[in-house]
Amino acid sequence: MPRYFFDVFDGEDISRDAVGIDLDHEDMAAEHAAAALPDVAHDELPDGMQRDFWVKVRPESGDYIFTADLKFKADWLKNKNPAWETG
Protein backbone atom coordinates (compact mmCIF):
# COMPACT_ATOMS: atom_id res chain seq x y z
CA MET A 1 0.00 0.00 0.00
CA PRO A 2 1.52 3.37 -0.98
CA ARG A 3 2.31 6.01 1.64
CA TYR A 4 1.24 9.62 1.07
CA PHE A 5 2.44 12.75 2.83
CA PHE A 6 0.39 15.89 3.39
CA ASP A 7 2.23 19.20 3.58
CA VAL A 8 0.11 22.03 4.98
CA PHE A 9 0.27 25.82 4.61
CA ASP A 10 -1.86 27.50 7.28
CA GLY A 11 -1.61 31.02 5.94
CA GLU A 12 1.69 31.69 7.69
CA ASP A 13 3.80 28.55 7.98
CA ILE A 14 4.39 25.39 5.99
CA SER A 15 4.30 22.13 7.93
CA ARG A 16 6.03 19.29 6.12
CA ASP A 17 4.53 15.89 6.92
CA ALA A 18 7.28 13.51 8.02
CA VAL A 19 5.00 10.57 8.89
CA GLY A 20 2.39 10.22 6.14
CA ILE A 21 -0.37 7.63 5.93
CA ASP A 22 -0.87 4.47 3.91
CA LEU A 23 -3.77 4.63 1.47
CA ASP A 24 -4.98 2.31 -1.27
CA HIS A 25 -4.64 4.86 -4.09
CA GLU A 26 -4.00 8.51 -4.89
CA ASP A 27 -7.71 9.35 -5.17
CA MET A 28 -8.02 8.59 -1.46
CA ALA A 29 -5.06 10.90 -0.79
CA ALA A 30 -6.78 13.69 -2.73
CA GLU A 31 -9.98 13.20 -0.71
CA HIS A 32 -7.99 13.25 2.53
CA ALA A 33 -6.25 16.51 1.55
CA ALA A 34 -9.49 18.27 0.61
CA ALA A 35 -11.22 17.07 3.78
CA ALA A 36 -8.35 18.40 5.94
CA LEU A 37 -8.64 22.00 4.75
CA PRO A 38 -11.69 23.02 6.83
CA ASP A 39 -9.95 21.76 9.99
CA VAL A 40 -6.80 23.71 9.14
CA ALA A 41 -8.85 26.87 8.54
CA HIS A 42 -10.92 26.35 11.70
CA ASP A 43 -7.76 26.21 13.82
CA GLU A 44 -6.42 29.48 12.35
CA LEU A 45 -9.50 31.70 11.87
CA PRO A 46 -10.40 34.39 12.60
CA ASP A 47 -7.06 36.05 12.20
CA GLY A 48 -7.43 39.04 9.97
CA MET A 49 -9.51 39.69 6.91
CA GLN A 50 -7.77 37.42 4.42
CA ARG A 51 -5.94 34.12 4.58
CA ASP A 52 -4.95 31.38 2.12
CA PHE A 53 -4.55 27.71 3.03
CA TRP A 54 -3.37 24.68 1.10
CA VAL A 55 -2.62 21.02 1.48
CA LYS A 56 -0.27 19.35 -1.01
CA VAL A 57 0.03 15.60 -1.41
CA ARG A 58 3.23 13.79 -2.23
CA PRO A 59 3.93 10.08 -2.48
CA GLU A 60 7.18 8.59 -1.24
CA SER A 61 8.86 9.67 -4.50
CA GLY A 62 8.60 13.23 -3.19
CA ASP A 63 7.01 15.07 -6.13
CA TYR A 64 3.64 16.70 -5.43
CA ILE A 65 0.74 15.02 -7.20
CA PHE A 66 -2.26 16.96 -5.82
CA THR A 67 -3.08 20.27 -4.19
CA ALA A 68 -6.20 21.56 -2.46
CA ASP A 69 -6.53 25.28 -1.74
CA LEU A 70 -8.91 27.29 0.42
CA LYS A 71 -9.13 31.07 0.41
CA PHE A 72 -10.76 33.04 3.21
CA LYS A 73 -11.65 36.66 2.60
CA ALA A 74 -13.84 38.92 4.70
CA ASP A 75 -14.65 42.47 3.69
CA TRP A 76 -16.98 45.23 4.77
CA LEU A 77 -19.61 46.17 2.19
CA LYS A 78 -19.29 49.83 3.13
CA ASN A 79 -16.40 51.97 4.35
CA LYS A 80 -15.96 51.03 8.00
CA ASN A 81 -13.03 50.54 10.37
CA PRO A 82 -13.72 47.47 12.51
CA ALA A 83 -12.91 47.67 16.21
CA TRP A 84 -10.05 45.16 15.91
CA GLU A 85 -8.25 47.38 13.38
CA THR A 86 -8.54 50.61 15.37
CA GLY A 87 -6.89 49.19 18.46
Side-chain angles (χ1 to χ4, degrees):
M1 188 176 302
R3 180 167 292 259
Y4 296 93
F5 300 86
F6 300 86
D7 298 339
V8 176
F9 177 66
D10 68 3
E12 292 182 357
D13 299 309
I14 297 174
S15 298
R16 189 161 167 90
D17 182 2
V19 178
I21 58 174
D22 295 329
L23 297 168
D24 288 333
H25 51 78
E26 61 188 32
D27 290 339
M28 291 177 72
E31 290 172 13
H32 182 81
L37 275 172
D39 291 333
V40 172
H42 181 266
D43 291 345
E44 299 299 326
L45 294 176
D47 184 18
M49 300 289 280
Q50 185 170 329
R51 197 117 178 218
D52 295 324
F53 305 91
W54 55 250
V55 177
K56 292 185 179 182
V57 179
R58 57 187 164 81
E60 290 177 297
S61 67
D63 295 328
Y64 288 120
I65 59 167
F66 182 83
T67 186
D69 300 290
L70 182 66
K71 181 178 188 84
F72 169 78
K73 183 177 179 185
D75 206 354
W76 292 100
L77 297 177
K78 59 182 180 178
N79 190 11
K80 179 178 175 163
N81 288 327
W84 69 78
E85 288 184 358
T86 60

